[in-house]
Amino acid sequence: MEEFVSGNVIAVTQAPGPGHRTIVEALDRAHDGAVIVVGPGRYTENLVLTKPVTITAENGPGTVWLVAATGVAVSLQAESAALSGITVVAADADSPAVLVADGQLSITECTVEASSWASVFVPDRGTLLMRSSEVRNAVGAGVVVTSPEGGVLDDCKLPDLGTSAVVVAEAGVLRVRSCAMGPAAANGICLNGRGRLVVEDTSVSGTGKPAIAVEQQAGLTATRLRVRDTATIGFYLATSDPVVLEDCVVEDAGAEGVFVAEGCAPVLRGCRVRGARGRGMHFAGRASGSVTGSEVSDVDGIGIGVTERSLPEFEQTSVARCSASGVRIDDGADPFFRRLRVRGCDGAAIDVDGGARGRLEHIEVDGGGGAGLSVTGAARPSVSGLNTRELAGAGVRVIGAALSLSDSQLVRSGAEGVYAGAGADVSVTRCRVQESKAAGCTFAEGASGSLLDSEFSGGSADGVLLDTEESVLVKGCTVRDNHGSGVRQVRLSKGIEVTDLISGGNLANDAYGTAASAGAAPRTAPAGAERTRPGLGSDPLLELQGLVGLAGVKSEVTSLVNLNKMAKRRMDAGLSAPPMARHLVFAGAPGTGKTTIARLYGQILAQLGVLRQGHLVEVARADLVAQIIGGTAIKTTEAFTTALGGVFFIDEAYSLSTGGGGTGPDFGREAIDTLVKLMEDHRDDVVVIAAGYSKEMTEFLSSNPGMESRFSRTIEFANYTPEELVTIVRAQCGKHDYRLTDGASAALLKYFDEIPKDGTFGNGRTARRVFERMTDRQASRLAATAADTADLTLLTEDDLSSIR
C-alpha cells in the first residue's frame, strides 16, 4: 500500500488507491497538529488519541462510521484533539463511546452512540467541547461529566436516552447552550455531588423522571430553559447550593412544575408554569428563596403550595385557572407574597391552614369558585391591600384561626364579604366591602375580633351581622345602602361594642348593644349626618399604617415597636431588659417618607414609655459643623442635647464624612466622633436616626470604627411605585376637595411610570408638586369660563399635559 501524505494532511480511505486503510494507521504516522481526512465507510477500530490531531470526514457528517466492538471507541490521552463529522458507536455494554479523562476533545457535527451506562464520559481533568452534534444511548445516559474542567455542549441534540441526557456529578462543571434533550427515560439534566451547570436557550422534553434534578451540593444557573411533556416534575430543586432560574418555562408536567425541598433557596425570575398536576410550584422541607415576576396557570390542583415550614418570598406573581386553590400555605409555613394576582381558580384563591403564618401585601383576586381568602387550622397570616372581585364564595373566610386584614377592598362576593366562624379572631382595619350577596361581615358563634375604620355597603343582607357572644369591637365604621340592617347583633353580649358608627340608607333598622334583634329601636345617625373621626395623628401607629406604600418600612418599624414593647414588659415584670440599640439608619432616595416615619416612631416610643417626650429634632451638616477648630464638638453637643427624650434625626448624614459647605471634611469627622460618644452616653434617653442615600450611608457608617456598632439596623426606603404615587395625588385631592377623572388617573400612572428616577426625582414630594401644578393649570383653564362647582373640583388629563 502506498502511503499518502500531503503537507500535514493524512488520508484514510477504503477505496482502492493511495492512503491508509485504518484510522489507527494514520494516527501512528501523524505528527502533532496533523489533519486526518477519512473517506466514507465503516471503520471497526478503537482510537486512542495520543497526539493533538484533527480527524474529519472527507464527505461530511454521516459518511464515516467508527465502530468499536469492545471497549471505548474514542479516548483522549493527549493535550487536545478534534473530531468532525464522524459517527462514533460503541457496542460494548460496559464502555462509553467517548472517554475524555485528560486534555480537551473537540467534537463537531458528530453523532455519538453507545449501549452502556454513558455515551460520553468526562472524568478527572478532561474537557469536552461538543458542537452541533447528536448523542444517543438506548440503555444509559448521554453525557456524564465529573471533571471540574468539564467543557461546553453547544447546539447539540440528545434524544432517545435510556436514563438521563446530561449528568454532572462530583466536582463536574459544564455549560450547555442551545441544546435539545429528550425523550429520556430518567432526567433531562441530573446534577448532584458538587456539580455545576450553566444552561441557556435549551429545551428538555419527554422525561420519565424530573426533567431537571438538582440535589446535594450541586449548583444550577439556567436562562430560558424550557421543560415540556415530562411525566413527573419539571424542576426538582433539593440542593444546599445556589440555584438561579431566569425566564424558564415548564409546560405540561405530570406532577409539580417546580418542586423545592431540603432547605433549598432558589432564585426564580420571570419563570412560567403552564399545565401541571398537584401543584404548579411547591416549596416544602423548610425551603426558602425568592420568586419574582413569574406565572403559574392551568394546574390540575393547587397553583402555588408552600408547606413544611418553608419561607419563600414571592414578588409580582400571578396564578390562574387552577382546579383547586390558587395559593395554599400550610404546615407552619411563613412565606411573603407581594403583588400577587389570582384569577379563575376553582377553590379558594388563597388558602392558609395548618398553623401557617405568612405576610401578604397588594393581592388581587379576580373571579373564582371559592373564597378569596380562606384561613383555617390555627393559621395566623397578616394581609394588607387585598382586592377581590366577582367571587362565587366569601371574600374572606376565617374559621378557627386568626387574621389581620387591612387596607383592602372586597367587591361583589358571592357570600359574605368577611366571614368569621367558630374560633376565629379577625381584625379588619381600613377596609371596604361592597355588594356582597350575604352580610358584608359576619361574626358567627364563637368568633371574635374588631372592625376599625371600615365600610360595608350595598350588600344583599346586613352590613355587619354579630351572631356571637365573644368580644367584638366595631369602631369608626360606615354601614350604608344594605338590604338588611347596617349593624345587627343577634346575641346579647357585654363583649360587643359599637362606637362612632355612620349608618344610612339601609332597608332595616340597626340593632346592637342591649338589642336582641333587628326589630329594636334604631341607633343610626340622622340622615345626612356626618361624623368627625379622630384624626390619624392622634394615634401614631394608625397614622404609620395609613401611609401610602412603604410596606417593608412599616414591617420593620412594627418589629421594632414590638421589640420595645417586650423590653418594657420585661422591665415591668422585674426582669432584665434585653440588650438593644435603638439607633437606626434610614437609607433611600428623597421624598420616601423618612422624616415622617422618624416623627411617628418617636411618638410611638413615647406612648410606650420608652422615650420621655418622643419629639423630633431634625438637623443637617450645617447644624452640627462649625467653621472654627473646636467649635464643632460644642455645636454638635448643643444640638444633640435638645433631642434628649426624643429622636435626633440627621438628614444627609453622609455629608459629615464627605465634607462640604466650605468647612472641610475634618470638621465633619469631628462631629461624627462627638456623636459616637454622645450616642453611647445617652443610649437610653434618645434615638438617633441617620438618613440619606443608600450607597452614601454605607460609606458614612464605615467612617468611624464605632459608628456602625451604634446603629441596630438599616431600614431601606424604596422608591414609590407609579401606582403609589397616583394614590398620593388622590390623597392630596381628597384633602383639598378635588377629584381625578379616569383619564387623569391613567395619564398620571403613565407619567409616573415614565418620569426619570434620577437624582432629581423626589418621590412623594414629586407627587405633591404634580398635584399643585395640576391645580394651577386647572385654575388657568377655568378662569375665563362660567365653571360650576363640579368643574371646580375636577382635575382632568389636560391639567397634566402642561407639566409633561
Side-chain angles (χ1 to χ4, degrees):
M1 180 188 72
E2 179 180 354
E3 180 181 2
F4 178 71
V5 178
S6 175
N8 209 27
V9 177
I10 302 175
V12 177
T13 180
Q14 293 181 344
H20 295 282
R21 293 295 176 260
T22 68
I23 303 173
V24 171
E25 290 176 1
L27 278 171
D28 288 341
R29 300 301 302 269
H31 301 291
D32 288 358
V35 176
I36 300 174
V37 179
V38 184
R42 183 184 180 92
Y43 298 80
T44 304
E45 46 190 312
N46 301 79
L47 301 185
V48 179
L49 305 178
T50 58
K51 302 171 185 179
V53 298
T54 297
I55 302 174
T56 183
E58 180 180 14
N59 292 350
T63 61
V64 174
W65 286 63
L66 173 65
V67 180
T70 60
V72 178
V74 177
S75 61
L76 178 66
Q77 295 183 10
E79 184 176 332
S80 65
L83 300 178
S84 178
I86 310 295
T87 298
V88 180
V89 180
D92 193 330
D94 297 319
S95 300
V98 174
L99 174 64
V100 188
D102 196 11
Q104 177 177 293
L105 179 62
S106 176
I107 299 177
T108 305
E109 294 186 318
C110 294
T111 297
V112 180
E113 186 173 342
S115 299
S116 68
W117 58 275
S119 289
V120 180
F121 183 37
V122 188
D124 302 332
R125 306 297 298 184
T127 301
L128 173 69
L129 302 179
M130 178 175 278
R131 300 180 180 88
S132 304
S133 297
E134 187 169 302
V135 180
R136 294 176 175 272
N137 190 339
V139 174
V143 177
V144 178
V145 177
T146 60
S147 165
E149 311 295 333
V152 176
L153 300 182
D154 191 357
D155 190 29
C156 294
K157 296 180 180 179
L158 294 91
D160 303 323
L161 284 311
T163 56
S164 298
V166 171
V167 178
V168 183
E170 298 179 14
V173 175
L174 185 65
R175 178 178 289 272
V176 175
R177 293 191 295 255
S178 303
C179 292
M181 304 178 191
N187 311 116
I189 294 173
C190 177
L191 304 178
N192 54 47
R194 298 181 304 282
R196 293 288 183 272
L197 176 68
V198 177
V199 55
E200 58 187 29
D201 298 311
T202 291
S203 65
V204 177
S205 62
T207 61
K209 293 184 177 180
I212 314 296
V214 190
E215 301 176 280
Q216 297 174 350
Q217 292 86 46
L220 170 66
T221 299
T223 305
R224 295 179 298 280
L225 174 58
R226 180 180 294 270
V227 172
R228 55 187 177 84
D229 298 325
T230 176
T232 61
I233 296 168
F235 286 83
Y236 176 72
L237 309 177
T239 174
S240 59
D241 273 32
V243 173
V244 178
L245 307 182
E246 192 150 8
D247 297 324
C248 295
V249 176
V250 178
E251 294 178 316
D252 299 323
E256 286 92 340
V258 178
F259 185 23
V260 186
E262 303 293 337
C264 186
V267 175
L268 280 64
R269 303 189 193 98
C271 296
R272 298 185 301 280
V273 175
R274 298 194 195 107
R277 296 178 66 87
R279 294 173 177 86
M281 290 186 180
H282 185 186
F283 286 74
R286 296 180 182 268
S288 55
S290 63
V291 179
T292 305
S294 298
E295 301 174 3
V296 176
S297 63
D298 303 298
V299 177
D300 185 7
I302 297 166
I304 296 176
V306 186
T307 187
E308 295 177 356
R309 300 187 181 276
S310 296
L311 306 167
E313 297 186 0
F314 296 81
E315 173 80 22
Q316 206 162 355
T317 305
S318 70
V319 179
R321 299 181 301 279
C322 301
S323 67
S325 300
V327 173
R328 180 172 172 82
I329 306 167
D330 62 13
D331 199 7
D334 189 8
F336 171 60
F337 284 86
R338 187 170 187 269
R339 296 189 181 180
L340 168 69
R341 186 178 186 190
V342 182
R343 295 177 292 119
C345 295
D346 293 343
I350 302 169
D351 188 1
V352 189
D353 191 21
R357 298 183 69 87
R359 185 157 55 94
L360 298 92
E361 300 176 356
H362 303 297
I363 311 299
E364 291 192 15
V365 177
D366 293 322
L373 170 64
S374 174
V375 186
T376 54
R380 302 181 63 86
S382 173
V383 181
S384 65
L386 171 65
N387 289 275
T388 69
R389 292 176 292 273
E390 307 292 352
L391 297 173
V396 173
R397 191 169 189 268
V398 185
I399 299 175
L403 171 66
S404 173
L405 179 70
S406 62
D407 302 298
S408 299
Q409 181 165 305
L410 316 175
V411 180
R412 290 187 291 279
S413 301
E416 295 84 1
V418 177
Y419 177 82
D425 183 4
V426 178
S427 170
V428 177
T429 306
R430 294 183 304 279
C431 294
R432 179 174 292 175
V433 179
Q434 299 173 310
E435 302 179 44
S436 302
K437 295 298 183 184
C441 178
T442 294
F443 281 87
E445 183 177 359
S448 63
S450 61
L451 305 178
L452 305 176
D453 297 310
S454 297
E455 177 183 307
F456 305 88
S457 62
S460 299
D462 299 318
V464 176
L465 174 61
L466 304 173
D467 190 9
T468 179
E469 297 177 359
E470 303 298 324
S471 174
V472 178
L473 172 63
V474 181
K475 182 178 180 181
C477 292
T478 299
V479 286
R480 57 183 177 82
D481 302 328
N482 296 290
H483 287 202
S485 300
V487 174
R488 183 161 66 96
Q489 177 182 341
V490 176
R491 301 170 185 265
L492 294 176
S493 171
K494 294 181 179 179
I496 293 178
E497 180 180 359
V498 181
T499 64
D500 297 328
L501 182 72
I502 293 179
S503 180
N506 304 297
L507 297 188
N509 293 331
D510 291 349
Y512 57 86
T514 58
S517 72
R523 297 184 54 175
T524 60
E530 294 185 358
R531 172 179 57 84
T532 302
R533 299 184 183 181
L536 286 177
S538 63
D539 187 336
L541 197 53
L542 278 179
E543 186 174 350
L544 170 69
Q545 297 301 329
L547 295 174
V548 174
L550 303 176
V553 175
K554 293 175 185 175
S555 175
E556 288 276 7
V557 173
T558 301
S559 174
L560 286 167
V561 170
N562 291 335
L563 185 61
N564 280 281
K565 284 181 179 178
M566 193 55 60
K568 185 72 165 52
R569 289 177 61 184
R570 286 178 59 87
M571 294 180 67
D572 292 343
L575 302 173
S576 62
M580 53 186 294
R582 299 189 179 96
H583 308 310
L584 306 172
V585 173
F586 283 4
T592 49
K594 294 188 289 294
T595 306
T596 299
I597 296 294
R599 173 179 59 81
L600 294 173
Y601 186 49
Q603 293 175 5
I604 293 168
L605 293 185
Q607 283 188 349
L608 295 175
V610 175
L611 292 176
R612 289 182 287 118
Q613 294 176 277
H615 64 294
L616 178 75
V617 174
E618 182 177 359
V619 297
R621 177 186 169 88
D623 301 303
L624 304 178
V625 177
Q627 299 187 23
I628 59 173
I629 296 174
T632 293
I634 297 172
K635 195 172 184 179
T636 299
T637 302
E638 289 176 347
F640 189 92
T641 302
T642 64
L644 292 179
V647 175
F648 193 55
F649 184 83
I650 310 171
D651 196 17
E652 297 184 357
Y654 54 82
S655 64
L656 295 174
S657 59
T658 58
T663 58
D666 288 341
F667 294 143
R669 293 196 181 95
E670 183 183 354
I672 291 174
D673 295 339
T674 304
L675 281 170
V676 169
K677 184 177 187 305
L678 290 169
M679 289 165 68
E680 180 62 25
D681 292 345
H682 301 279
R683 62 182 179 273
D684 294 328
D685 195 31
V686 71
V687 170
V688 177
I689 298 177
Y693 289 102
S694 299
K695 178 177 179 295
E696 286 81 353
M697 290 308 297
T698 300
E699 297 170 354
F700 167 71
L701 291 176
S702 63
S703 64
N704 182 285
M707 181 63 70
E708 187 169 4
S709 65
R710 296 294 188 273
F711 290 94
S712 62
R713 67 179 75 187
T714 297
I715 298 179
E716 289 286 344
F717 285 69
N719 283 333
Y720 285 110
T721 65
E723 294 84 357
E724 290 167 346
L725 292 168
V726 173
T727 300
I728 292 173
V729 175
R730 287 186 184 278
Q732 290 294 305
C733 289
K735 183 177 180 181
H736 299 284
D737 296 322
Y738 287 92
R739 57 191 179 90
L740 298 171
T741 65
D742 291 343
S745 296
L748 273 172
L749 187 62
K750 181 179 179 183
Y751 173 78
F752 287 130
D753 188 48
E754 296 175 349
I755 189 173
K757 308 301 189 297
D758 54 19
T760 65
F761 179 61
N763 282 285
R765 286 198 286 271
T766 296
R768 288 186 286 273
R769 283 198 301 270
V770 167
F771 167 72
E772 292 167 0
R773 295 175 69 179
M774 288 181 73
T775 59
D776 291 345
R777 170 61 180 161
Q778 187 227 39
S780 299
R781 177 169 57 83
L782 298 179
T785 66
D788 58 21
T789 302
D791 292 331
L792 294 176
T793 65
L794 201 62
L795 297 178
T796 70
E797 186 176 359
D798 291 339
D799 299 323
L800 180 64
S801 60
S802 63
I803 64 173
R804 291 183 176 178

